[in-house]
Structures are given as C-alpha cells and as structure tokens.
Amino acid sequence: MKGQDVSLENDSEHGEWKNEWCMPEDGFHLTKLLERKSRAYDINERFFIAPILAEEEAKFNDIGKVNNFKGKVEDTALKSFDPDFTSFHRPTDSEPLDIEYLMGMAKTWHGNVTLQNVRSLHRYIYSKGLESLTCIMNHVISLYIECQSMHNAEQVLEMLSYRNEHSWTSLISGHVKSGQFEFALNLHQKMLEDCVLPSSYTLVALLKACAGLKDLERGKHIHEQIKKMNFLKELPVGNTLVGMYAKCGSLEDAQEIFENLLFRNVVSWTALIGGYAEHGPFEEALRFFSQMHEDGVSPNDVSFACTLKACGNLRAINKGHEIHANVVLTGSGSELLVGNSLIDMYARCGSLVEADYVFHKLDSRNIVSWTTLIGGYAEGGYGLDALRYFDQMKSEGVQG
C-alpha cells in the first residue's frame, strides 16, 4: 500500500497516521503498527486497517509474529461462541468493535454453519455499518456459498464497492461446485471487467468449469492465461489442466501437460488415467496405472474406479482380478465408488456371480449399486434375476 491514497490526505487530524503508514518496509514494524492502530482508533478509522492487513500480509518478513497475532484474534473469537454456534458474543455499546474479531469469528464458522447463522451475522454487520468492508464481506460470501445460498452470495458481491480477487474467486468456485459452469465462466468475464486479475485458484476453478462443459476452446483460452501469468509450475494448476484436457477428449494435450509436470502425485496420474478410461484407447489407461505403481505412487479410490472402467470396456477380466486384489490390499473394497466400479466391471465381463458377490459385500448400497447389478443381469439374459433385484430395491425404498 506504499504511496496509495487511503482517503485521509486532506485530514490534518490524521497526519501522523499517514506518515506512519507509509514508512514501514519490514513486516514486523507494519504488524506492530496495525496492532496499535486497531486498538487505538474507532470503527471509522479501522475501516482502512483490515483491507491493508489482508493485502500486505503476504509481504511480511516476520511471518511467525504475524501468525501469532492472527492466532490470538481467532482464539478470542472462538471463545466468544456458544458450543452450538447458534449465537455469538456481540460487543456492548461500551465495548470497542474489533474488525479482526469479526473476521476471526467468521472464519471459525467455516465447516459448521447454518444459513440462519450467516444471516444473523450479516444483519449484525449491516447494523454496524460494516457492509462495505471487503475483508469481512468476503467471509460472508464464503459462508453463504457453504450454505448453498448462491443468490445471497451474489447479492453481497454486487453491493460491495470494492471487490478483490478473493471476492470473485469465492463466488466462481461456489458456482463450479454447484455445477453452474456457464455462470462461473460468465463471472470470470465480469471479474476482468472489474479490473481484477485472477489468481491460480481462480484459474483452477475456471478450468473445472470448462471440463464440466467439455468446452475445449474456452479451456485453451484459460490455458493461455495460465502461461502468461506463469502459473504452470503450480501442481494444482497442472493437475487441473491435465484433467480439463482429458475430460474434453484431448488426450494428446493432456499427456503433454502431464509429461511436463515438475512433480506428479496421485491426482496427476488419475486425471490422465480417467481420460483414457473415458475416451480410449482403454489400454493406455491400464498402462498408465501400471506406470503409476512403478513410480511408487499409491492409487486412490478414483484411480481404482477409472482403471476398473477401462477393464470393463476391454472385457479384461484377468486385469480386473488383479486390480480387485489391489483394492482388497488397500482396504478400498467396501467404498461405494470402488465397489460400484467392481460390480460394473464384472457385469461387463459377464461374470455375474462375482458382481453379485461384490454387491453383497458392500457396507452400504446406493441407486448406482442396484441399477448396475440389475443392468448386468438384464444384459446377460437373466431377466428373472433382474426383476427380482428390482423388486428388492423398491422394497428397501431405494430411489434415484
């Protein structure tokens, strides 16, 4: 924020603030300045402190002291909650209102929040005239998204006079997670029109939107942005690029990105395996699965599911047996994703006895488990067995 106007230029009362604010180059002094000012100034002055803290935090040299300061703030906020998260301590008129306190309080709600909680917090923030503070309202946007209240999150964003990368990325990611891929891509355009550059997190979300739409053209456009912004070295970006190209059926591009990754983890391998399992050649999925094992990378449930799909498409039951043995060794056999994939693989290979065995070994079953087995019996010419399982599925109240 060095040299940036913070709207105090003509206010002589704050001359010391201006001079002091522009001076610190090292993180420790800036942190101490923020601590002192956040205690000494009333709410109107601290309007400027929290956004500055958020923007300058990455530049601090003494990260340990900064994290310690933030930790104290968040710990204070945690102690202010009741155990059920149904209310929060509201400072009385005689108590100073702390911006960092509110931010810490909002953070503690992530992962355990209801829409009623968020609306209550939002009303309180509005009643105190803090609704224009981007640093606080970004948390409100994220909490609304967590409650799947996208409309409220969008309204908060629209009402902000200043929107930063975090504001836009939260909303874009929320729409991607809810499957509203086109809306997410449209938000990206609005973000650029708002003169806000995307971060690597934004671009990862946008790549997922392109993959969801199988929109290769726009995916390549995002890829070009990634190159220009030098994000290719970041593993999550590289992995998502592999996945985007793979899901769009552009396996040559996916493999090229994969081979140029500086480091590969199970997500990298699985993205490529999944692409070949979906689009073929299916043998390539099996080859890369074996190569992943040789490179010492342990498969996850998605890796197994993709490889079993390739086995089913190839009717390669012997390879399927080999994968099944690996599944048992890793303890993944009772997981629904892997279990359903095993049922499908055996059904496609015509081994309905083994498909039936896996079905009954599952700890729990969903509509996919039932319909996969029923479909296998029907396609194998065992209509009576298919009807028997269909009636059993209905009797157990399983619905799609």
Side-chain angles (χ1 to χ4, degrees):
M1 296 292 292
K2 187 177 180 181
Q4 183 171 332
D5 177 18
V6 289
S7 302
L8 296 176
E9 185 172 344
N10 297 321
D11 193 342
S12 59
E13 180 183 348
H14 297 291
E16 181 203 0
W17 164 260
K18 260 183 57 178
N19 295 334
E20 195 174 15
W21 178 248
C22 293
M23 70 87 179
E25 284 290 335
D26 74 272
F28 175 72
H29 287 97
L30 182 54
T31 307
K32 301 308 292 182
L33 171 63
L34 288 169
E35 285 188 67
R36 187 167 68 256
K37 290 298 181 183
S38 63
R39 293 192 191 101
Y41 280 72
D42 66 19
I43 187 63
N44 294 324
E45 278 72 25
R46 278 185 282 135
F47 172 93
F48 301 104
I49 295 176
I52 291 168
L53 175 60
E55 291 179 14
E56 294 296 325
E57 182 180 330
K59 302 177 184 176
F60 288 163
N61 297 323
D62 198 334
I63 297 299
K65 290 185 180 295
V66 175
N67 287 339
N68 183 54
F69 172 52
K70 290 174 66 182
K72 288 178 181 177
V73 170
E74 292 183 23
D75 184 58
T76 301
L78 274 168
K79 290 175 182 176
S80 301
F81 287 100
D82 66 19
D84 297 322
F85 291 83
T86 54
S87 64
F88 54 87
H89 169 69
R90 295 170 171 81
T92 65
D93 292 337
S94 62
E95 292 178 301
L97 188 60
D98 195 324
I99 298 297
E100 285 82 9
Y101 164 82
L102 282 174
M103 289 178 67
M105 182 172 62
K107 287 179 183 178
T108 58
W109 271 0
H110 285 289
N112 190 5
V113 68
T114 67
L115 185 56
Q116 184 179 355
N117 293 150
V118 186
R119 284 176 173 164
S120 177
L121 177 62
H122 192 181
R123 282 194 298 270
Y124 178 65
I125 291 169
Y126 192 87
S127 72
K128 294 297 180 179
L130 306 179
E131 68 276 5
S132 60
L133 272 68
T134 303
C135 57
I136 292 179
M137 299 315 290
N138 281 348
H139 286 292
V140 175
I141 290 172
S142 297
L143 289 169
Y144 273 131
I145 290 169
E146 197 170 313
C147 296
Q148 300 180 344
S149 182
M150 301 305 297
H151 177 66
N152 283 319
E154 290 159 19
Q155 283 186 322
V156 173
L157 183 82
E158 287 295 325
M159 292 177 68
L160 281 175
S161 56
Y162 169 69
R163 297 176 281 266
N164 60 18
E165 172 272 326
H166 183 74
S167 319
W168 288 101
T169 301
S170 294
L171 196 57
I172 289 170
S173 299
H175 280 292
V176 171
K177 288 178 182 177
S178 62
Q180 297 171 314
F181 306 125
E182 193 66 50
F183 202 101
L185 291 169
N186 290 338
L187 281 174
H188 175 225
Q189 186 58 41
K190 291 182 179 180
M191 178 182 186
L192 296 178
E193 291 169 1
D194 204 26
C195 299
V196 179
L197 288 176
S199 67
S200 60
Y201 298 102
T202 320
L203 295 169
V204 162
L206 294 169
L207 285 172
K208 290 178 180 179
C210 294
L213 293 170
K214 293 185 169 54
D215 192 330
L216 183 58
E217 184 178 346
R218 280 194 279 188
K220 286 184 174 181
H221 178 70
I222 302 298
H223 187 180
E224 288 303 313
Q225 281 188 267
I226 289 168
K227 287 180 182 177
K228 290 176 182 177
M229 300 182 76
N230 200 29
F231 287 139
L232 275 175
K233 294 180 181 179
E234 297 187 21
L235 185 60
V237 175
N239 286 346
T240 313
L241 265 173
V242 175
M244 184 276 294
Y245 279 120
K247 287 182 180 178
C248 291
S250 185
L251 275 305
E252 288 185 9
D253 288 317
Q255 191 167 330
E256 181 181 352
I257 299 293
F258 175 84
E259 290 172 352
N260 286 319
L261 291 176
L262 298 177
F263 173 77
R264 303 181 191 116
N265 60 12
V266 66
V267 178
S268 323
W269 288 96
T270 302
L272 191 61
I273 292 167
Y276 281 116
E278 180 68 29
H279 301 283
F282 306 126
E283 293 85 356
E284 287 295 281
L286 301 184
R287 182 172 73 84
F288 277 107
F289 182 83
S290 298
Q291 192 175 330
M292 176 177 71
H293 181 72
E294 291 170 6
D295 281 11
V297 179
S298 299
N300 59 18
D301 291 350
V302 182
S303 312
F304 282 130
C306 293
T307 310
L308 287 166
K309 182 175 184 177
C311 292
N313 288 333
L314 291 168
R315 308 297 189 266
I317 194 166
N318 289 336
K319 186 66 177 179
H321 284 145
E322 181 184 322
I323 305 300
H324 192 173
N326 286 337
V327 166
V328 173
L329 286 173
T330 60
S332 300
S334 60
E335 298 295 327
L336 261 180
L337 177 63
V338 179
N340 289 345
S341 298
L342 280 166
I343 296 168
D344 180 67
M345 183 273 294
Y346 282 126
R348 285 174 180 268
C349 293
S351 182
L352 292 168
V353 172
E354 288 175 294
D356 197 282
Y357 173 81
V358 172
F359 177 84
H360 284 95
K361 290 288 286 184
L362 290 177
D363 292 337
S364 62
R365 307 179 189 102
N366 60 10
I367 186 68
V368 176
S369 318
W370 288 93
T371 55
T372 302
L373 186 63
I374 291 167
Y377 275 116
E379 290 181 15
Y382 299 93
L384 290 177
D385 289 301
L387 289 172
R388 176 169 58 86
Y389 274 110
F390 181 74
D391 289 338
Q392 187 177 338
M393 180 182 72
K394 288 199 301 181
S395 69
E396 292 190 15
V398 179
Q399 296 179 345

